[in-house]
Amino acid sequence: MGHSQQDKRKTHERIVEIASKRLREKGLEGVGVADLMKEAGLTVGGFYKHFASRDELVAEAMQSAFGAWAAKVRSEGRAPEDITLQEYAATYLSREHRDDTAGGCPFAALTADIARGGEKCRSLATDQIKSNIRNMQARINVGAAAEARRKAIITSCLMTGALGLARISNDEAFAGEILDTVKAFVNDLSTNENGR
């Protein structure tokens, strides 16, 4: 790859990374191209050297957000599938994750936005939800696959909802109670399943 092509790829990745964070912070419609390009240190005209449309950028930014957790785990020298359900719940339902909207779960931050979004974004989100359910199912140790899937769906929805509700609350104690209660519930589920 030539030097200018490599620079263009790095710039493209930087724009996507910034967009991924800002979209989770401000919503899919809350960030304009001009603001993103300014934050990246580029002109608005340069946007079209990288993307055919804003929708294309949003799709790439969402894909980046969906892969952020697994990339972080791999950067720490671990495989995402080696993270236990208890460890996953402890990290996901933490106050740090609650406070890190820009770097956190895109589903907890953008569920309503994605539901109103374009077909490309919804399709990417649907694929990721299915992947998340499969990954959660692998963490739930029960004999029957159908029962593990049922519990994976419930657990995934419960955790995402809890994080979203804890972010909404302006009562710190109540927000913490939401996170801690769901974390304990997931831990009980895990203990009960592993104890069978």
Side-chain angles (χ1 to χ4, degrees):
M1 182 183 298
H3 182 61
S4 63
Q5 283 294 83
Q6 187 175 13
D7 288 346
K8 183 177 179 181
R9 182 183 52 78
K10 286 181 181 180
T11 299
H12 184 96
E13 289 171 359
R14 189 169 80 244
I15 296 167
V16 170
E17 182 181 342
I18 292 167
S20 176
K21 290 178 180 180
R22 294 306 157 253
L23 292 170
R24 283 179 274 176
E25 273 182 335
K26 299 181 180 190
L28 296 184
E29 297 300 324
V31 178
V33 169
D35 292 333
L36 288 173
M37 296 304 283
K38 182 178 180 182
E39 187 173 346
L42 302 166
T43 65
V44 175
F47 176 83
Y48 294 100
K49 294 177 184 174
H50 297 277
F51 307 96
S53 67
R54 184 181 186 280
D55 287 345
E56 184 180 301
L57 169 62
V58 168
E60 282 192 48
M62 292 310 302
Q63 194 68 46
S64 174
F66 293 148
W69 177 79
K72 180 180 182 292
V73 169
R74 286 188 194 96
S75 77
E76 296 167 352
R78 299 184 70 192
E81 58 272 11
D82 292 340
I83 304 297
T84 66
L85 180 57
Q86 297 93 334
E87 187 178 0
Y88 184 77
T91 303
Y92 190 92
L93 296 168
S94 68
R95 283 156 180 80
E96 294 79 21
H97 188 205
R98 178 203 61 194
D99 295 343
D100 185 19
T101 306
C105 176
F107 292 112
L110 297 169
T111 300
D113 281 5
I114 294 170
R116 291 186 297 265
E119 193 54 38
K120 173 79 172 171
C121 194
R122 290 185 67 209
S123 181
L124 289 170
T126 299
D127 290 345
Q128 187 62 47
I129 293 167
K130 289 177 180 178
S131 176
N132 289 355
I133 297 295
R134 284 190 302 273
N135 293 335
M136 183 64 74
Q137 185 176 345
R139 290 183 175 94
I140 296 178
N141 185 21
V142 295
E147 182 62 9
R149 182 170 173 81
R150 185 182 78 80
K151 289 183 177 182
I153 291 170
I154 292 168
T155 303
S156 294
C157 293
L158 182 65
M159 289 174 61
T160 302
L163 182 62
L165 293 175
R167 285 178 173 169
I168 289 170
S169 177
N170 65 358
D171 179 329
E172 181 65 27
F174 181 55
E177 181 183 11
I178 291 169
L179 295 174
D180 293 342
T181 301
V182 173
K183 191 182 325 173
F185 183 87
V186 172
N187 287 336
D188 288 347
L189 170 73
S190 179
T191 302
N192 292 338
E193 296 308 331
N194 290 330
R196 284 186 180 205

